[in-house]
PDB file of all heavy atoms in Angstrom:
ATOM      1  N   TYR C 247     132.869  84.275  94.693  1.00  0.00           N
ATOM      2  CA  TYR C 247     133.518  85.135  95.673  1.00  0.00           C
ATOM      3  C   TYR C 247     132.658  86.376  95.949  1.00  0.00           C
ATOM      4  O   TYR C 247     132.040  86.929  95.030  1.00  0.00           O
ATOM      5  CB  TYR C 247     134.877  85.611  95.166  1.00  0.00           C
ATOM      6  CG  TYR C 247     135.768  84.515  94.646  1.00  0.00           C
ATOM      7  CD1 TYR C 247     135.718  84.127  93.303  1.00  0.00           C
ATOM      8  CD2 TYR C 247     136.661  83.851  95.484  1.00  0.00           C
ATOM      9  CE1 TYR C 247     136.523  83.112  92.818  1.00  0.00           C
ATOM     10  CE2 TYR C 247     137.482  82.837  94.999  1.00  0.00           C
ATOM     11  CZ  TYR C 247     137.403  82.475  93.667  1.00  0.00           C
ATOM     12  OH  TYR C 247     138.202  81.465  93.191  1.00  0.00           O
ATOM     13  N   PHE C 248     132.659  86.811  97.189  1.00  0.00           N
ATOM     14  CA  PHE C 248     132.137  88.128  97.562  1.00  0.00           C
ATOM     15  C   PHE C 248     132.898  88.573  98.791  1.00  0.00           C
ATOM     16  O   PHE C 248     133.764  87.847  99.281  1.00  0.00           O
ATOM     17  CB  PHE C 248     130.623  88.094  97.799  1.00  0.00           C
ATOM     18  CG  PHE C 248     130.168  87.151  98.878  1.00  0.00           C
ATOM     19  CD1 PHE C 248     129.993  87.578 100.191  1.00  0.00           C
ATOM     20  CD2 PHE C 248     129.892  85.819  98.583  1.00  0.00           C
ATOM     21  CE1 PHE C 248     129.571  86.707 101.185  1.00  0.00           C
ATOM     22  CE2 PHE C 248     129.471  84.936  99.576  1.00  0.00           C
ATOM     23  CZ  PHE C 248     129.311  85.382 100.879  1.00  0.00           C
ATOM     24  N   MET C 249     132.648  89.765  99.300  1.00  0.00           N
ATOM     25  CA  MET C 249     133.409  90.235 100.456  1.00  0.00           C
ATOM     26  C   MET C 249     132.482  90.545 101.622  1.00  0.00           C
ATOM     27  O   MET C 249     131.329  90.949 101.431  1.00  0.00           O
ATOM     28  CB  MET C 249     134.261  91.450 100.093  1.00  0.00           C
ATOM     29  CG  MET C 249     133.513  92.705  99.746  1.00  0.00           C
ATOM     30  SD  MET C 249     134.687  93.996  99.196  1.00  0.00           S
ATOM     31  CE  MET C 249     133.719  95.474  99.513  1.00  0.00           C
ATOM     32  N   SER C 298     126.498  99.867  95.236  1.00  0.00           N
ATOM     33  CA  SER C 298     127.298  99.665  94.023  1.00  0.00           C
ATOM     34  C   SER C 298     127.220  98.232  93.538  1.00  0.00           C
ATOM     35  O   SER C 298     126.746  97.340  94.235  1.00  0.00           O
ATOM     36  CB  SER C 298     128.764 100.021  94.295  1.00  0.00           C
ATOM     37  OG  SER C 298     129.355  99.050  95.145  1.00  0.00           O
ATOM     38  N   GLY C 300     130.089  95.473  91.558  1.00  0.00           N
ATOM     39  CA  GLY C 300     131.474  95.332  91.116  1.00  0.00           C
ATOM     40  C   GLY C 300     132.503  95.631  92.177  1.00  0.00           C
ATOM     41  O   GLY C 300     133.609  96.083  91.856  1.00  0.00           O
ATOM     42  N   ALA C 301     132.188  95.349  93.437  1.00  0.00           N
ATOM     43  CA  ALA C 301     133.175  95.548  94.507  1.00  0.00           C
ATOM     44  C   ALA C 301     134.246  94.468  94.484  1.00  0.00           C
ATOM     45  O   ALA C 301     135.329  94.655  95.056  1.00  0.00           O
ATOM     46  CB  ALA C 301     132.482  95.566  95.870  1.00  0.00           C
ATOM     47  N   VAL C 302     133.952  93.329  93.835  1.00  0.00           N
ATOM     48  CA  VAL C 302     134.902  92.224  93.681  1.00  0.00           C
ATOM     49  C   VAL C 302     134.934  91.837  92.205  1.00  0.00           C
ATOM     50  O   VAL C 302     133.883  91.698  91.576  1.00  0.00           O
ATOM     51  CB  VAL C 302     134.501  91.010  94.538  1.00  0.00           C
ATOM     52  CG1 VAL C 302     135.494  89.863  94.371  1.00  0.00           C
ATOM     53  CG2 VAL C 302     134.380  91.392  96.004  1.00  0.00           C
ATOM     54  N   ILE C 550     121.091  91.434  95.687  1.00  0.00           N
ATOM     55  CA  ILE C 550     121.887  92.523  95.124  1.00  0.00           C
ATOM     56  C   ILE C 550     122.815  91.958  94.041  1.00  0.00           C
ATOM     57  O   ILE C 550     122.343  91.463  93.039  1.00  0.00           O
ATOM     58  CB  ILE C 550     122.615  93.319  96.224  1.00  0.00           C
ATOM     59  CG1 ILE C 550     123.565  92.455  97.080  1.00  0.00           C
ATOM     60  CG2 ILE C 550     121.609  94.000  97.133  1.00  0.00           C
ATOM     61  CD1 ILE C 550     124.478  93.263  97.982  1.00  0.00           C
ATOM     62  N   ASP C 551     124.147  92.029  94.260  1.00  0.00           N
ATOM     63  CA  ASP C 551     125.099  91.610  93.234  1.00  0.00           C
ATOM     64  C   ASP C 551     124.818  90.200  92.727  1.00  0.00           C
ATOM     65  O   ASP C 551     124.571  89.287  93.519  1.00  0.00           O
ATOM     66  CB  ASP C 551     126.518  91.645  93.795  1.00  0.00           C
ATOM     67  CG  ASP C 551     126.967  93.034  94.180  1.00  0.00           C
ATOM     68  OD1 ASP C 551     126.579  93.486  95.270  1.00  0.00           O
ATOM     69  OD2 ASP C 551     127.705  93.646  93.410  1.00  0.00           O
ATOM     70  N   LEU C 552     124.893  90.011  91.413  1.00  0.00           N
ATOM     71  CA  LEU C 552     124.690  88.691  90.825  1.00  0.00           C
ATOM     72  C   LEU C 552     125.654  88.504  89.667  1.00  0.00           C
ATOM     73  O   LEU C 552     126.169  89.462  89.094  1.00  0.00           O
ATOM     74  CB  LEU C 552     123.247  88.496  90.356  1.00  0.00           C
ATOM     75  CG  LEU C 552     122.791  89.184  89.066  1.00  0.00           C
ATOM     76  CD1 LEU C 552     121.482  88.546  88.569  1.00  0.00           C
ATOM     77  CD2 LEU C 552     122.597  90.679  89.240  1.00  0.00           C
ATOM     78  N   LEU C 562     123.729  87.422  95.505  1.00  0.00           N
ATOM     79  CA  LEU C 562     123.955  87.659  96.932  1.00  0.00           C
ATOM     80  C   LEU C 562     122.748  88.340  97.546  1.00  0.00           C
ATOM     81  O   LEU C 562     122.232  89.327  97.015  1.00  0.00           O
ATOM     82  CB  LEU C 562     125.197  88.538  97.109  1.00  0.00           C
ATOM     83  CG  LEU C 562     125.550  88.955  98.538  1.00  0.00           C
ATOM     84  CD1 LEU C 562     125.896  87.751  99.402  1.00  0.00           C
ATOM     85  CD2 LEU C 562     126.706  89.953  98.524  1.00  0.00           C
ATOM     86  N   ALA C 600     127.671  92.617 103.496  1.00  0.00           N
ATOM     87  CA  ALA C 600     128.289  91.875 102.398  1.00  0.00           C
ATOM     88  C   ALA C 600     128.017  92.522 101.038  1.00  0.00           C
ATOM     89  O   ALA C 600     126.920  93.068 100.782  1.00  0.00           O
ATOM     90  CB  ALA C 600     127.785  90.437 102.384  1.00  0.00           C
ATOM     91  N   GLN C 601     129.030  92.473 100.165  1.00  0.00           N
ATOM     92  CA  GLN C 601     128.932  93.094  98.832  1.00  0.00           C
ATOM     93  C   GLN C 601     129.707  92.281  97.802  1.00  0.00           C
ATOM     94  O   GLN C 601     130.656  91.572  98.143  1.00  0.00           O
ATOM     95  CB  GLN C 601     129.516  94.510  98.852  1.00  0.00           C
ATOM     96  CG  GLN C 601     128.713  95.524  99.635  1.00  0.00           C
ATOM     97  CD  GLN C 601     127.544  96.117  98.876  1.00  0.00           C
ATOM     98  OE1 GLN C 601     126.692  96.783  99.442  1.00  0.00           O
ATOM     99  NE2 GLN C 601     127.477  95.891  97.586  1.00  0.00           N
ATOM    100  N   GLY C 602     129.336  92.455  96.546  1.00  0.00           N
ATOM    101  CA  GLY C 602     130.090  91.896  95.443  1.00  0.00           C
ATOM    102  C   GLY C 602     129.662  90.489  95.068  1.00  0.00           C
ATOM    103  O   GLY C 602     129.027  89.777  95.845  1.00  0.00           O
ATOM    104  N   MET C 603     130.010  90.097  93.856  1.00  0.00           N
ATOM    105  CA  MET C 603     129.829  88.728  93.383  1.00  0.00           C
ATOM    106  C   MET C 603     130.717  88.535  92.157  1.00  0.00           C
ATOM    107  O   MET C 603     130.641  89.308  91.201  1.00  0.00           O
ATOM    108  CB  MET C 603     128.370  88.437  93.021  1.00  0.00           C
ATOM    109  CG  MET C 603     128.121  87.009  92.534  1.00  0.00           C
ATOM    110  SD  MET C 603     128.601  85.707  93.706  1.00  0.00           S
ATOM    111  CE  MET C 603     127.473  86.028  95.060  1.00  0.00           C
ATOM    112  N   ALA C 604     131.575  87.526  92.228  1.00  0.00           N
ATOM    113  CA  ALA C 604     132.459  87.219  91.100  1.00  0.00           C
ATOM    114  C   ALA C 604     132.650  85.703  91.042  1.00  0.00           C
ATOM    115  O   ALA C 604     132.529  85.013  92.057  1.00  0.00           O
ATOM    116  CB  ALA C 604     133.810  87.919  91.267  1.00  0.00           C
TER     117      ALA C 604
END
Side-chain angles (χ1 to χ4, degrees):
Y247 310 89
F248 59 93
M249 67 185 203
S298 71
V302 180
I550 59 169
D551 296 80
L552 75 164
L562 177 64
Q601 291 278 168
M603 181 58 64

